[in-house]
């Protein structure tokens, strides 16, 4: 599996070309209640790629609509990838990213899987950093953040089925409040016995739009059962836990383990990896192994599983307090977010916002 390679490797620096910024009062009003994914900053980072010229035309310019030919490959064959990370306002007013090198590496992995041109890690970091520096006024005060969405789309106008010879990379910035607004007390998941997110050999470990579109139907079923999200099971046996909607799922056991399904058909989440690495600080042993729905059900009922939560960039850590399925429902613990879940979330958020020391060097100052 290899990504599309260009004829040369240009050094991408993403020079800024500022536009007139949003007036301070208007920006402040937008930052007061940004919700998630609806408000955008003044600029975007962009670069183009072609099989003939490689990566070129990089810069940070005013936010604008993208023009695509109706035959662009992304519109017909979903040849695209994306990432998600955040910029955090620090106590001294500066701005930092959190482990962006992992996002850059995953972006490259996704490019290889979707036969798109691989953006060098240093270019990914340069694009994100340049955009945040230019739009640093859009980074809100905690607990809100500036959500960053890098993506690459195949833009060649050609209806044949092959890897496109033209692509475009961009980064958007969107101030973000709570992803699960009003539901911090814990979420309820629908265990779907039929619809699957990914299969062995597929694109489950790549961050591409097709995976998310394929999950929308299951989310609709979950809402019909008055659940906040869906718990996906494996595509072969419909028995093994995979992901919680768009997030990784983790379980705390009475034996002091932090258990999560192994990689393969699920996304290698940055939050998932960080929580596993922080587990020892909270008296937990991280374990990556298959978990069956039977183990989840029985463990919740007999107390072997004491807490369950979902982890992802957008929502950080979301406690899961209840599961519903065709045969009924069951509650985790006493139906309230567990102490280990809340402690891990607080530790992670404190690291991201610069409120605690960072001995692992996960925070990366950018502005």
């Amino acid at each position: 599996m290899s990504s599309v390679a260009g004829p040369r490797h240009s050094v991408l620096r993403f020079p800024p070309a500022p536009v007139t910024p949003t007036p301070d009062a208007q920006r402040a009003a937008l930052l007061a209640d940004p919700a998630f994914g609806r408000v955008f900053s003044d600029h975007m980072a962009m670069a183009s790629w072609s099989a003939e010229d490689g990566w070129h035309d990089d810069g940070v310019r005013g936010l604008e609509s993208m023009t695509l030919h109706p035959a662009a490959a992304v519109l017909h064959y979903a040849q695209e990838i994306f990432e998600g990370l955040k910029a955090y306002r620090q106590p001294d007013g500066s701005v930092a990213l959190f482990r962006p090198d992992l996002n850059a590496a995953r972006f490259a992995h996704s490019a290889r899987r979707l036969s798109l041109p691989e953006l060098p890690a240093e270019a990914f970091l340069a694009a994100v950093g340049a955009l945040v520096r230019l739009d640093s006024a859009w980074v809100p005060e905690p607990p809100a953040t500036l959500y960053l969405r890098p993506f690459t789309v195949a833009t060649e106008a050609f209806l044949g089925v092959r890897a496109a010879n033209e692509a475009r990379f961009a980064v958007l910035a969107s101030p973000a409040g709570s992803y699960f607004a009003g539901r911090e007390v814990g979420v309820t998941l629908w265990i779907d016995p039929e619809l699957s997110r990914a299969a062995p050999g597929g694109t489950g470990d790549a961050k591409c739009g097709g995976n998310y579109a394929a999950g929308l139907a299951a989310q609709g079923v979950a809402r019909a059962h008055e659940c906040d999200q869906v718990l996906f099971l494996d595509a072969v046996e419909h028995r093994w836990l995979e992901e919680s909607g768009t997030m990784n799922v983790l379980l705390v056991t009475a034996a002091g383990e932090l258990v999560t399904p192994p990689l393969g058909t699920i996304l290698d989440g940055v939050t998932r990896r960080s929580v596993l690495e922080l587990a020892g600080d909270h008296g937990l042993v991280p374990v990556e192994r298959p978990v069956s729905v039977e183990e989840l059900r029985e463990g919740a009922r007999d107390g072997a599983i004491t807490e369950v939560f979902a982890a992802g960039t957008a929502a950080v850590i979301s406690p899961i307090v209840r599961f519903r399925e065709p045969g009924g429902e069951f509650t985790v613990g006493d139906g309230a977010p567990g102490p280990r879940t809340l402690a891990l979330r607080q530790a992670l958020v404190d690291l991201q916002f610069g409120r605690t020391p960072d001995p692992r060097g996960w925070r990366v100052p950018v502005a």
Side-chain angles (χ1 to χ4, degrees):
M1 184 173 64
S2 62
S3 62
V4 179
R8 65 169 186 257
H9 297 282
S10 301
V11 176
L12 304 182
R13 303 188 185 281
F14 295 91
V19 298
T20 301
T22 299
D24 291 348
Q26 182 181 348
R27 185 178 62 249
L30 291 170
L31 291 178
D33 185 21
F36 182 85
R38 296 185 179 276
V39 176
F40 299 93
S41 69
D42 294 315
H43 299 87
M44 62 191 298
M46 292 193 70
S48 298
W49 178 91
S50 69
E52 181 179 353
D53 297 325
W55 287 108
H56 60 281
D57 193 25
D58 55 303
V60 181
R61 59 204 72 165
L63 180 70
E64 60 184 8
S65 297
M66 296 178 68
T67 301
L68 294 174
H69 191 282
V74 65
L75 301 178
H76 298 268
Y77 307 121
Q79 193 184 6
E80 65 83 42
I81 58 172
F82 68 95
E83 264 302 322
L85 64 161
K86 292 177 177 178
Y88 304 85
R89 181 72 65 184
Q90 304 294 292
D92 64 357
S94 64
V95 179
L97 305 176
F98 185 74
R99 311 192 76 176
D101 55 311
L102 298 184
N103 296 97
R106 189 172 63 184
F107 197 61
H109 170 78
S110 298
R112 291 191 291 272
R113 183 62 183 87
L114 273 292
S115 296
L116 282 164
E118 185 174 334
L119 187 74
E122 59 271 22
F124 179 98
L125 298 174
V128 171
L131 177 59
V132 173
R133 282 189 290 274
L134 191 57
D135 278 349
S136 61
W138 283 92
V139 182
E141 293 297 321
T145 59
L146 186 66
Y147 181 81
L148 304 168
R149 173 54 63 88
F151 63 95
T152 297
V153 297
T155 56
E156 183 185 6
F158 178 65
L159 294 180
V161 182
R162 61 158 170 75
N165 287 322
E166 296 174 7
R168 194 173 306 167
F169 165 76
V171 187
L172 302 176
S174 175
S178 174
Y179 189 78
F180 287 113
R183 286 176 282 175
E184 290 81 358
V185 294
V187 298
T188 299
L189 299 190
W190 170 254
I191 303 175
D192 199 291
E194 297 178 355
L195 298 174
S196 301
R197 174 189 170 273
T203 59
D205 65 342
K207 201 167 179 65
C208 58
N211 292 343
Y212 292 76
L216 295 178
Q219 289 182 28
V221 174
R223 292 191 185 98
H225 288 87
E226 299 183 338
C227 294
D228 301 296
Q229 256 294 356
V230 59
L231 175 63
F232 286 111
L233 305 179
D234 71 291
V236 179
E237 299 182 63
H238 296 285
R239 181 187 176 199
W240 303 98
L241 275 57
E242 293 222 324
E243 289 196 352
S244 167
T246 61
M247 304 171 71
N248 297 121
V249 62
L250 299 98
L251 306 85
V252 178
T253 72
E257 293 181 335
L258 180 63
V259 182
T260 191
L263 300 177
T265 56
I266 67 174
L267 202 64
D268 185 4
V270 175
T271 307
R272 171 189 182 273
R273 187 184 297 196
S274 301
V275 168
L276 289 174
E277 294 180 34
L278 290 173
D281 298 345
H282 296 264
L284 295 170
V285 178
V287 178
E288 298 179 67
R289 64 167 175 82
V291 180
S292 70
V293 69
E294 295 90 351
E295 179 184 355
L296 172 65
R297 186 187 303 117
E298 294 167 9
R301 287 173 176 163
D302 66 18
I305 294 174
T306 59
E307 303 176 39
V308 183
F309 62 89
T313 297
V316 192
I317 287 178
S318 294
I320 301 169
V321 298
R322 186 172 294 103
F323 293 89
R324 291 193 177 124
E325 54 186 340
E329 68 175 58
F330 56 93
T331 300
V332 180
D334 61 1
R340 259 27 189 295
T341 298
L342 297 178
L344 283 166
R345 188 186 196 283
Q346 192 62 52
L348 191 59
V349 169
D350 284 345
L351 269 173
Q352 292 168 336
F353 283 105
R355 296 192 286 255
T356 55
D358 178 27
R360 298 172 178 84
W362 288 350
R363 285 195 299 266
V364 178
V366 290

